[in-house]
Amino acid sequence: MLDAKFVRENLDAVAEAMANRNFSWDGERFAQLDEERRTAIAAAEELQAKRNATSKSIGKMMGQGLKEEAEAAKEQVRQINAQLEEASKVREEAEAALSEMLMATPNMPHETTPVGRDENDNPEVRRWGTPRTFDFEAKAHWDLGPELGIIDFERGVKLAESRFYLLGGLGARLERSLINFMADTHTSRGYKEWWCPALANATTLTGTGQLPKFEEDLFKTTGGLYLIPTAEVQLTNIHAGEVLDAEQLPLKYCGFTPCFREEAGSAGRDTRGIIRVHQFSKVEMVKFAKPEESLDDLEAMVEDAENILQKLELPYRVISLCTGDIGFSACKTYDLEVWLPCYNGYKEISSCSDCWDFQARRANIKYRDPANFKGTRYVHTLNGSGLAVGRTMAAIIENYQNADGTITVPDVLVPYMGGVTVIGPQK
């Protein structure tokens, strides 16, 4: 959430930033509501001073036997109280409207975020690895997986609905191996692992920005809880309402969770395979950083995500998202895109974002640093996929397939697969 004071003092800059984000933002409406609020506050202060003075005079009048004058003063106080109530109502309504407006307003893009309209304007930063050239007709994971008996789309739909799937035999083992490998790798690089609830309350989802704006993308229970769309929600809110010590920062957390998304508005996109589904596994990274260090921490987080792909020897590229493509809470984002032969191109497998103090302000996460400033300040929060497990599996199936229809297990996963080096047909 943006700071109201910052918005008030930088209306033109905010308007330009929102335009760059392709977000319809009414600066005049904000200024009007803010003026109503400040006018109501000033009126209330003036009325309170008048009421205090009048109330004080009543005692003196009573002491002097001026009963009639005292009663008139009491009536005046009653009228002032009614005016105060009205001023308070105006202020509360203006503040509620301002809060609603700010809660729906996305973060300001960082000055280093490239300006652009959509994903077509995202500049490439670097590439790693060379896409494999096949000397046989390569298959897509949605064909090869069922042929080997490691992915079952039809029974997934039977058990749930479209965009759900089953994993069987070494397919299930591969998913579990990827989760453990990713979590082990991140913890070896200084991340503390957490095991989080798969359900979250509305306050938690509001803290990271999923609510109220993106409720249609969430699965909601009858009890009012939501299935989490990412572990970012839980990991970031671990410290909601807390004040951290500067010596603790940066805090580096990771965690595996199942993730659930309605995928509202994505009809017709990636309908085949396991790229865009309602339930998927993901290992998430989250950081809490000092403001002056968060951009460096973002670069380090991207390297941590890249490290997973490099260990798996999967070709990928890094792109910098432009202002028209970054997420709601982000001020700067890098996407990692893995090479998928079925698309003859790169597909997102990780998104790493610096959210500045946007989420911390919503979730009220601060830190103290007595050596450098008085009081407290908001931390900066960062999050990144490390990685999306299903998409990683799809990349392995396609990039490591063999002419005989089997799949070679990446060397780094063999210990996690119990020594299995090749995935063949499953009974």
Side-chain angles (χ1 to χ4, degrees):
M1 183 164 137
L2 298 179
D3 179 17
K5 182 175 183 292
F6 172 84
V7 176
R8 181 184 309 124
E9 296 174 353
N10 298 275
L11 282 173
D12 290 342
V14 173
E16 181 181 0
M18 295 305 115
N20 287 337
R21 267 184 165 272
N22 303 325
F23 180 78
S24 178
W25 192 76
D26 192 344
E28 291 184 5
R29 173 64 173 160
F30 178 91
Q32 176 190 345
L33 290 170
D34 192 50
E35 182 59 30
E36 289 177 6
R37 171 185 169 276
R38 288 192 287 172
T39 299
I41 291 173
E45 291 174 348
E46 184 178 339
L47 287 167
Q48 285 170 348
K50 186 176 181 181
R51 182 183 63 180
N52 293 340
T54 304
S55 297
K56 188 175 181 180
S57 70
I58 292 174
K60 292 181 180 180
M61 292 176 187
M62 294 294 288
Q64 296 171 359
L66 302 173
K67 186 176 180 181
E68 202 170 303
E69 289 83 347
E71 288 300 322
K74 289 179 182 179
E75 176 59 28
Q76 187 178 8
V77 168
R78 282 191 286 270
Q79 293 176 1
I80 292 173
N81 284 337
Q83 291 174 308
L84 271 171
E85 186 176 340
E86 179 61 27
S88 177
K89 181 181 178 182
V90 171
R91 174 184 178 178
E92 289 173 1
E93 290 177 350
E95 287 180 342
L98 278 171
S99 178
E100 182 180 356
M101 189 174 185
L102 288 174
M103 290 293 275
T105 302
N107 201 356
M108 295 277 290
H110 191 266
E111 59 184 12
T112 59
T113 294
V115 176
R117 296 293 297 175
D118 54 34
E119 61 185 10
N120 297 312
D121 294 328
N122 295 334
E124 183 176 305
V125 178
R126 57 183 172 273
R127 293 190 181 195
W128 186 92
T130 302
R132 178 182 172 186
T133 300
F134 295 93
D135 56 5
F136 58 91
E137 187 175 349
K139 296 180 179 180
H141 70 275
W142 54 74
D143 291 324
L144 186 54
E147 288 177 9
L148 289 172
I150 60 175
I151 305 177
D152 194 321
F153 294 106
E154 292 181 1
R155 289 193 174 98
V157 173
K158 180 178 71 173
L159 294 175
E161 63 177 11
S162 62
R163 297 203 177 187
F164 286 90
Y165 61 93
L166 277 173
L167 296 175
L170 290 179
R173 180 68 180 265
L174 180 58
E175 173 107 348
R176 184 157 44 90
S177 297
L178 281 167
I179 292 167
N180 288 334
F181 159 66
M182 291 174 186
D184 286 350
T185 302
H186 291 314
T187 55
S188 73
R189 293 166 74 94
Y191 287 81
K192 179 178 180 178
E193 184 180 4
W194 295 86
W195 195 267
C196 305
L199 294 171
N201 58 43
T203 300
T204 298
L205 286 153
T206 300
T208 43
Q210 280 76 20
L211 288 178
K213 188 173 178 60
F214 301 104
E215 185 162 11
E216 67 173 6
D217 292 323
L218 304 172
F219 286 99
K220 187 177 182 179
T221 70
T222 55
L225 294 175
Y226 297 82
L227 277 68
I228 59 172
T230 167
E232 168 203 341
V233 171
Q234 304 292 35
L235 294 174
T236 303
N237 279 281
I238 286 175
H239 295 297
E242 297 181 15
V243 179
L244 306 172
D245 291 324
E247 293 77 14
Q248 298 175 269
L249 304 178
L251 285 173
K252 299 167 62 176
Y253 292 164
C254 73
F256 152 74
T257 62
C259 305
F260 305 88
R261 297 181 186 178
E262 283 274 18
E263 293 291 351
S266 65
R269 295 179 60 193
D270 304 320
T271 54
R272 304 190 69 183
I274 58 177
I275 299 300
R276 191 177 297 276
V277 290
H278 289 312
Q279 178 184 339
F280 58 97
S281 299
K282 183 153 68 81
V283 175
E284 185 76 0
M285 302 175 289
V286 160
K287 287 185 181 182
F288 302 85
K290 296 178 182 178
E292 64 272 17
E293 297 174 355
S294 70
L295 286 176
D296 288 338
D297 281 315
L298 175 62
E299 299 294 335
M301 178 176 280
V302 174
E303 290 179 8
D304 290 329
E306 289 183 81
N307 180 53
I308 298 292
L309 289 170
Q310 290 175 12
K311 285 181 177 294
L312 291 170
E313 299 184 72
L314 291 170
Y316 67 89
R317 68 173 185 170
V318 179
I319 61 173
S320 180
L321 298 197
C322 70
T323 54
D325 199 31
I326 57 174
F328 178 79
S329 297
C331 76
K332 185 176 180 66
T333 298
Y334 292 105
D335 272 7
L336 275 66
E337 297 182 340
V338 69
W339 177 260
L340 281 176
C342 68
Y343 289 95
N344 192 33
Y346 294 93
K347 201 73 176 174
E348 178 194 338
I349 197 168
S350 173
S351 189
C352 298
S353 299
D354 187 342
C355 296
W356 220 242
D357 62 0
F358 188 83
Q359 292 179 326
R361 191 177 300 279
R362 296 168 76 104
N364 193 27
I365 309 171
K366 298 181 177 180
Y367 78 106
R368 61 172 62 89
D369 188 358
N372 293 298
F373 59 83
K374 295 180 180 179
T376 59
R377 294 178 181 173
Y378 289 106
V379 299
H380 282 189
T381 61
L382 301 88
N383 63 79
S385 310
L387 304 165
V389 178
R391 295 189 177 201
T392 307
M393 179 182 292
I396 289 172
I397 292 173
E398 294 193 10
N399 285 284
Y400 278 87
Q401 63 182 293
N402 301 309
D404 62 358
T406 62
I407 301 166
T408 299
V409 176
D411 290 342
V412 75
L413 291 182
V414 171
Y416 292 92
M417 292 287 289
V420 173
T421 58
V422 176
I423 297 175
Q426 304 293 289
K427 295 181 180 180

